[in-house]
């Protein structure tokens, strides 16, 4: 929260007072991120009494990297997938790229509670995995999906009915506004699917099974939508809206796969 208000103050300071323009916004973000990381690191050092330079232990580092690298690459697929989507939408004009980008940011705002729930689910499931309370891992997953469902019930009507108003706050250009509204309304079909994906990935990572989310991310973010959208847009000349339906379809199918895979892994550890 402090970082939010610091960013809120530094943005106009760097942008207008120091006359850095758009670069000032980026610089403000970098400053706040570094300050936040430094503060959290100092707090952990004091509370856990850890050394600044960790002792090297090959086995521990290998175990850590086996969890960190797949999770990091999973995040990378999101970024790369976004680049590909924007590049394909750019075939229809820069105004549609702008509309899609604004719509995507508005969607992410509505998904923030689900992302917060995702962090809580991962922490609770990880703690219970550590004490072999696998029944609580299953309960955490079940309750996380239920809470996420109620979040979706609240967010979906907002996303659908208030999207024209939300887009009008950022632009008066009709093409940009229409693209953003179209994307938001179509993507409501996949809103709860995003929640299921978030919770499933959180549970699997808490169970120290990060490889499946990485493989699913590669397929969901890169291979499948890029291939389908390229054929639809470049080869067959379909309209831009077909890309949005492709995104929704891929997300829903990925959520179904992730749900059943996660349930299977939970059932496996419970039978041990």
């Amino acid at each position: 929260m402090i970082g939010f208000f610091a960013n809120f103050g530094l943005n106009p300071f760097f942008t207008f007072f120091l006359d850095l323009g758009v670069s000032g916004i980026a610089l403000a973000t970098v400053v706040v991120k570094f300050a936040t990381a430094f503060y959290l690191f100092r707090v952990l050092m004091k509370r856990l009494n850890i050394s600044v330079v960790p002792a090297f232990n090959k086995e521990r580092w290998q175990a850590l990297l086996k969890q960190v690298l797949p999770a990091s690459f999973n995040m990378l697929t999101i970024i790369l997938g976004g680049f590909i989507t924007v590049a394909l939408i750019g075939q229809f004009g820069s105004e549609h790229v702008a509309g899609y980008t604004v719509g995507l940011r508005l969607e992410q705002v509505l998904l923030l509670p689900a992302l917060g729930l995702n962090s809580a689910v991962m922490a609770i499931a990880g703690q219970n995995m550590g004490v072999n309370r696998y029944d609580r891992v299953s309960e955490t997953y079940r309750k996380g999906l239920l809470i996420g469902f109620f979040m979706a019930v609240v967010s979906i009507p907002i996303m659908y009915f208030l999207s024209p108003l939300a887009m009008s706050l950022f632009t008066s250009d009709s093409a940009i506004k229409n693209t953003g509204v179209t994307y938001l309304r179509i993507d409501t079909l996949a809103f709860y699917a995003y929640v299921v994906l978030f919770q499933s990935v959180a549970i699997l990572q808490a169970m120290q099974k990060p490889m499946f989310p990485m493989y699913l991310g590669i397929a969901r973010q890169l291979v499948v939508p890029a291939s389908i959208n390229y054929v639809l847009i470049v080869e067959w000349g379909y309209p831009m809206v077909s890309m949005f339906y492709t995104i929704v379809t891929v997300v829903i199918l990925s959520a179904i796969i992730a749900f059943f895979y996660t349930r299977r892994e939970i059932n496996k550890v419970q039978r041990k």
Side-chain angles (χ1 to χ4, degrees), residues 181-193:
V181 170
T182 301
Y183 170 75
L184 286 169
R185 287 182 168 175
I186 292 175
D187 215 43
T188 55
L189 298 171
F191 192 92
Y192 185 62

Side-chain angles (χ1 to χ4, degrees), residues 1-15 24-33 36:
M1 185 177 294
I2 294 175
F4 167 79
F5 286 108
N7 209 337
F8 190 76
L10 287 176
N11 277 335
F13 176 76
F14 286 131
T15 303
I25 298 176
L27 182 60
T29 301
V30 171
V31 170
V32 171
K33 292 294 184 183
T36 303

Side-chain angles (χ1 to χ4, degrees), residues 122-155:
M122 186 185 297
I124 296 171
Q127 289 173 347
N128 284 289
M129 282 294 297
V131 294
N132 298 327
R133 288 300 304 269
Y134 306 127
D135 58 317
R136 289 184 178 178
V137 176
S138 179
E139 182 183 2
T140 300
Y141 186 48
R142 186 172 62 254
K143 289 186 176 180
L145 292 177
L146 181 61
I147 295 171
F149 175 77
F150 289 114
M151 289 180 176
V153 168
V154 174
S155 297

Side-chain angles (χ1 to χ4, degrees), residues 35-64:
T36 303
F38 179 74
Y39 170 76
L40 292 175
F41 185 64
R42 287 295 302 273
V43 170
L44 285 174
M45 284 177 58
K46 290 181 179 179
R47 293 190 178 183
L48 301 179
N49 192 28
I50 60 176
S51 172
V52 177
V53 181
F56 181 78
N57 184 297
K58 183 179 179 180
E59 288 75 19
R60 289 184 179 181
W61 276 92
Q62 285 179 337
L64 180 63

Side-chain angles (χ1 to χ4, degrees), residues 66-67 69-71 73-75 77 141 196-221 250-251 253-266 268:
K66 284 182 180 179
Q67 304 301 316
L69 292 180
F73 192 79
N74 188 32
M75 294 298 296
T77 61
Y141 186 48
V196 175
L197 273 172
F198 293 161
Q199 303 306 307
S200 301
V201 170
I203 290 291
L204 290 171
Q205 289 179 345
M207 296 173 67
Q208 298 185 2
K209 298 179 181 294
M211 296 305 295
F212 180 79
M214 184 187 74
Y215 295 142
L216 186 64
I218 294 172
R220 180 177 75 87
Q221 298 285 351
V250 171
V251 169
L253 292 176
S254 299
I256 294 172
I257 294 171
F259 172 77
F260 284 108
Y261 183 87
T262 304
R263 289 303 316 169
R264 190 188 75 171
E265 293 301 313
I266 293 174
K268 277 185 181 179

